[in-house]
Structures are given as C-alpha cells and as structure tokens.
Amino acid sequence: MRSTQIRTTFTDFFTSRGHQVVPSSPLIPDDPTLLLANAGMNQFKPYFLGETTPPFPRATSIQKCARTSDIDNVGRTNRHATFFEMMGNFSFGDYFKEDAITFAWELLTQGYGLEKDKLWITVFEDDDEAEHLWRRIGVPASRIQRLGMEDNYWSMGVPGPCGPCSEVNYDRGPAFGKEGGPAIDGERYVEIWNLVFMQFQRGEGDKKGNFPILGELTNKSIDTGLGLDRLAAILQDAQNVCTTDLLLPTFDTVQDLAGRACPSEGEEKVSFQVVTEHARSIAFLIADGVLPAKDGRGYILRRLMRRAIRHARRLGIDGPVLPSTTASVIGNLSDVWPELTGQAALIEQVVTAEEESFTRTLAQGTRLLDAAITHTREKRSAAMSGETAFELADTYGFPLELTVEAAREAGLTVDEERFAALLDEQKKRAKAGGKAKTAEALRKMDTYRELAAQLPRTEFLGYEHLTAEATVTGLMSGGSVVPSVGAGSEVELVLDRSPFYAEAGGQIGDTGTLTMTDGTTLRITDTRYGLGGFRVHSARVLEGELTTGATGEAVVDAERRAGLMRSHSATHILHAVVMATLSDHARQQGSLVEPDRLRFDFAHFTALTPDQIHHIEQAVNGHVLDDPKVTAWHADRAEAEAAGAIALFGEKYGDRVRIVDIGDFSRELCGGTHVAHGSQVGTFRLLSESSIGSNLRRVEALTGQSSLRHLDTERRLLGELAGLLGTRPTEAPGALRKRLEALATAQEYLSRLRAEELRHQVGQLADQARPAGHGQLVVQLVTGIAPDELRGLAADTLARLGRGPAVVVLGVEHKGKAVLASAISSDLHQAGTQASQILAEAARTVGGGSGGRGHLASAGGRRPQALNEALELATRQATSLLSDR
C-alpha cells in the first residue's frame, strides 16, 4: 500500500466516524514553549487545556512533525526520523478509551490488513481498564505488556491534563531482533500507534519529575498518533523508513551521487540513511519558513544540514549534495504537500548557500586542526586537549568525529571525556536559560488561563470604531488576578468590548485612554492578545481606583492608529512588489508596523542592487498613486488560499479567515487595520536594505508625515550643499564631481612633490652617515615628517648607504608625541639582530615601547622632550652593535 493510500485510508476511516478533518499546522508552532511542531496534538493544545472551546467534538489530522531528540539514532535504527507525518484522531470530551481502542484495532486489522497475531500492546502498569478492553477485543494476555511512567504515561510537563498511554506495536519478525515483545526489543516490535487517554488533572511536579494527581477530568479526551513512516515500512515490506516510497527517490539520489549502492550494514549504511532522511526534514523546515541561524529553530535546521553534508563527505560525495536531494523530496511529496513546490526556489537557494558556506568551514577547520595536531606533537603529548576539540566544534563548527579521525591518523587521541564535560556544561547553561524563559512564559500563561476560563471572548470593534463603551472584566497585577488597583499602578486589564487593536501580524498594539464613569482615568500603553480571544490592555492608572466590573469609555489614539494603518497597507504593497521584483521565494518572514514607519524582513540571498532598490520604491509609490481600493472579506481558509491569498510564515489562522485585498495586485490573510484607499498611504520612502542573518534581508521605510519630513530634510541638505558649491541643486552632483576630480589631481601633484622632497631628504641623511665600529651610522632628529613616513624614510636612507653593516635611527615630534624608527642592514639581521633591540632603551626614555620584527622597527611615547636623550641611547646601542661585528 503506497503512502498516498495509507493517508487516504486513515482520513476516510475517521471522517466516516464523525471526525472533522483538520489540515496540518505549520512546523513553526504558535506556542512559546515549543520551537517546532513535534506532535499531532500541538495545534489542539488550547482545546485540551480548556483555553478555547473546540468547534467540533472529534477531529482527525495528518500533522507535519519535526523532532530531533533522537537525531543520533537516525540511520542506526530502522525506525527513527527527524521529520515524520503523524496521523491522529482526537476526542475533546467526546469518546474515550473504548472507542479509541476499537477504532485503532479496526483500522489496523481491517483497513490496513495487518495480521492480528503480529500486533502487541503495551499499557500503563496500573491501567486495568485498558488491558481489559484490549483483551475483550481479542488480544490475548500473552501479547499485552504493562510498562511504567517513562514508557506509558503522558503529560505536558506542567499542571493540566495527563493520563496513561497504550501503544500498538507490530512484530516484524526474528530477522529484526529477539523475541519477548516491545518491552524487550523496540527494533523488532515497532511502536506504530500511541493512544493517549487524557484522564486526570496533574499538579505541580517536583525536581525529580514526580507530580500529584489532583483528580479525574470532567471531560476526558483522546489524543493518538500513528506514524506514517513506520506503517509504510510495514505495509511495503521495507527494511527501514528510507526504503519506503516516502523516501526511496531521495535514497536513490544519494546512491547515484555516491556512485554505489548502500551496503546492508556498517557506518556507510548510516551515512546513506542520514543524508536521505535529513534532506526531507530540511526541505519541509525551509518550506515552512525556517532559515539557518545560530540559535533556536534556525540552529536545528543548520545542524541537520551540516550533519547531512558531513555524512555525504564520508561517502566521498565532494560536490553539492543538498540541492539535488531536497529537489527529489519536492518532486516526490509535493502532490501531498504543495508548499514544497511553492517554496522550491527558496529551498534550492538556502541549501546551496548553506552548503557552500559549510564547505568553507570544513576547509578552515581542517587547517586549524592541522595546526592543533602540530602543536600537540610539539608539546610531546599523545592526546589533543578537550578544550581544543571543543573550540574547533563550538567556534568553527568542525565536528568532533572528524577531529578524532584526523587525530587517529596522526597517531594521536583526543580527550573526549573533557570534550563531553565542556559540552555538558554548555548544554546546562543553555537549558537553564531556556527553562527560565519557559517558566516565565508559563507563569504568565497560567494567569491568562485563569481568566480565559472565566471570561467571554472580547468583542473587537476597532475596524469600524475608535471609541467604545466598555466594562472591565478582569484585572492582573504582579502576575496575579486582582479585584482592584489604585492610582500609579501598572495593570493589565480585559474589557468586554474593545476598540484597541491587539499586536499581531507585525502591527503593534493600539494605545489610548480609558475613562471610567466614576472619574478614574487610565492611559492604555499597549494592547496584546491573551488566551481565549480576549485582549490584554497594558495601562497605568492616572487617577482614582480601578475595580473589576467598572464601566467607562475606551478611546484609541486616532492619529497614531492612522499612521499604523498607512504603514500596514504599505507593508502589503511592499510585499507584493518585492515578490514581483525578486520572485516568489522572497516572501515576508517578519515585519514591524509602527506609525509612519515599517520594517520588512524577507527571504533572499544577496544584497539588492541600487537599481532594484530604486525600482521597488518607485513601484510601491506607483501603486499608491493609482489609489487602489482596500477591501477586507472573510472566507474559509481553503477558499481563501484557492483565491490566491498569501498566508504568512509562522502566523496562526483559524478555519475562518479575514482577507485584505489592495487593488488586484495584493491579497493576504490579515487581521490588521488598513487605509480605505491606497493614496492614503501617502509618500513611501525606502530608507535602507541590509542583511539580518543567513538568507534573510531587511528593508526599512517611512510613510505618511515621516516620509515627507525625511524628503524635506534631504531637500534642505541638497540646497545647503549646492550653496557651498555655488551652484543650483540640480547641478550640484556635476559641480561636486568636478571639485573631486580637481582635488584628486591636486593630491596627485602634491604626492609627487612630497616624494621628491623625501628623496632629497634621504640624500641629505645619507650624506650625514659617519663611521661607527665596522660600519656606518645615521642618527638624526628630523622635522616635518609624519609617523607613517618615518619608517620609509629610515629604510630608504639605509638603502642609499650601500653594502656593508649599517644602522639608521630617526626621531620626530608629531602632535605632542615622540616617534622613533630604526633600520638595520640585512647582514646584521641575518646575524640574529632585531632592529627593535636598538630602540628598546630609547623607547622607555620617551615613555613608550618599541615594536616590529626584522630589519625595521618603530617606537613611540608621550615625552617628546626626551627625544635627544633617546637618540643618544640609540646611538650608543648601535655603535656597540657595529663594533661587535
């Protein structure tokens, strides 16, 4: 059964049993506690936590997941992958264990035709009910195993729903491992389906991971996950996930690049599978908006790419590997996942640029490694230090295994124990920082969750109205829900009705005032989303006491909102123009919409040319002057996408979406506020274009009054410049060009005069040479010489003296400082003398130090009054040196 049929069979089965089909969410989750979507239940988390009422009682989905916790097992087992499709069915307080178990058994044995006697079940050690249900359905007790908390219990790691799990495992036979069931061998008895029974409410856990059970949930729920890769391997009788139809074309591509077939075992087999499997993860991550970076989800992508490249090099693939392997992923899976085709150009450019960059890193690392090996040998040590290996890996991205391999070839070992300790210290620091941020986010979310469970959704009136009568339904201060706050307090408040736009889609939140009927006044300083659809208004109480239940008038800052609308509409226009200019890959990756100013980030790989920048600015202004109508409408998500509406990376949308059209050239999913007509944007001025990271560009621009003020400033500056040049503004560039050409000619003439003057001075200095010991000596205090000229003057004077031992020492006072230079003949230098030796005492005399190696040296200090004394010391040192010859 091919993977397409496996998906269809799953979806059809659950649709026929009343489940709503929900599309996969992006790999970038709308969840501050997750870097990447790693389970099918991620997008349903608000339903399970009770933050939002689910629009349907049961659902099914095929979710894209990325999970790197088992990355080291990829290629070493037949079942592990960093990207997978999780097929799941979910019940939100509807059915529970009996139906979930019945559905799973029926689909596996009838829908997919798996042999019943090859299915093994694990249940939680205390879950008698689950075992009873499995036995009643026909599974003998001999194929049901009880496991503990680590294997068969689920929670999100925070207070909330939790419960036992039951896993369905398939026996692949003795060729895959030893007998004894899933408790003995996970390679032979492959887990394919996990059924999570959300049955209990857990409390806060301790440091050891133990947590109290607070009781049973009123609405028990179901969360299941059936791995498509593992099921496909079984149904297609494939040895491992890389030889299923999901990855076989990519596996074949890697074998073609290597020029040989993958062996049946050994390290080469691991490398073939790593390159194959990681190529799929890389393609999907980029398609969903992840770009390589030094941290966060971008680092996960970069790690996968570098790991694939390293394993390709182990296979002897010296040329590019990622462009062709990711292209095979796109060709194989884009019918199911069309975003791969939509981002094909982006994927190709990102992987090409990253592979070229890492190839240079490997070359640099190799040079540094060679130097480290030489240094280790010079110390007569048999082992390279763990610090050196860690620096190579951490700073230069050079992998430990390559360091170990190269050291072994050089007859050395690497202190891997010390390397592991340093790596562990780094991980602990990172984990501690991450935990602190996560804990802070969770504490905030707990407070919001408390209010979300009590409050209705805030009614937003801000599209049509900037004022509204509103009632305070909730107050938060110091991270807790409070009944009232006094004057001077900083508070977060929730209103039943609000004209304030909450920060989203790059547009910052509205500000304004809230005046209560009892005279209490507040300044609203920001507006953001909480949970359950309510808006959180940050405010300062200016006068009076604010209490929950108070009513008053909310007023948005109208001028500020108008500026935000101008900038937001300009951002949409700019997005359309950038894509039209650079291609579809140049999609928005982020934005900041402020009053009369905007910042726009997009995917691209080279700096824009001046012509491209000029064209983009002109095109945006052209659209603005055409005065297109700006309209907003609502539709189902699928209908909007079919109509060509652009969904932004990382944004979360519901089934019902708002679409903003600007003329016939821009159509985006957007919940923000906009002008009614394009001309209301005013003038658009593109200020700058720059890089903000690998494969990511940023433009900043002005709109409205800020743009006009900027243009006026430039006009006045041009007028001032023209005045200084004595010409009209339109002729200023030509006049300035002529002045610069004349200046260059004058500078060239002065340089020739200066060179001639220095040549003359060289002759004078050479004529003053006197015998000293067995050679010649020139020591002279000069004037009118810049420090950067002094060393050259000394060297030229030495050359004028001809053959034989000679020393030249010159000094000059420049801008209140003493400067010295010395030059020695080549025979003195070859005999082991350094020019800096002559200046050592002289430098200390003028209050400084000397530097330089070889036959030229210089010195300087803050005591120019001691120059004559310093030159006398240098004379004695030089004379002594020449006398010893």
Side-chain angles (χ1 to χ4, degrees), residues 725-868:
L725 293 169
T727 188
R728 291 177 296 185
T730 55
E731 297 173 355
L736 180 58
R737 193 175 297 110
K738 289 181 180 179
R739 292 282 182 95
L740 291 174
E741 289 172 354
L743 179 60
T745 300
Q747 287 176 331
E748 184 180 352
Y749 176 71
L750 289 173
S751 294
R752 289 198 300 269
L753 287 179
R754 182 58 174 167
E756 182 60 35
E757 183 180 348
L758 290 174
R759 280 195 296 273
H760 178 69
Q761 193 160 2
V762 165
Q764 291 181 324
L765 289 170
D767 290 343
Q768 296 175 25
R770 64 178 186 270
H774 302 288
Q776 301 181 78
L777 176 64
V778 175
V779 179
Q780 185 67 43
L781 182 66
V782 297
T783 58
I785 300 295
D788 58 343
E789 295 175 328
L790 194 64
R791 279 168 57 107
L793 187 63
D796 290 344
T797 302
L798 180 70
R800 183 70 67 90
L801 295 178
R803 295 182 179 180
V807 175
V808 175
V809 181
L810 303 177
V812 68
E813 179 180 348
H814 184 78
K815 293 183 178 180
K817 293 183 179 180
V819 183
L820 295 163
S822 66
I824 62 175
S825 56
S826 58
D827 52 349
L828 293 176
H829 180 224
Q830 289 168 2
T833 302
Q834 301 290 333
S836 56
Q837 294 174 228
I838 297 171
L839 296 181
E841 287 188 56
R844 287 192 289 272
T845 302
V846 295
S850 61
R853 299 185 65 183
H855 70 284
L856 272 175
S858 58
R862 297 181 178 181
R863 300 182 62 239
Q865 65 272 20
L867 267 171
N868 286 325

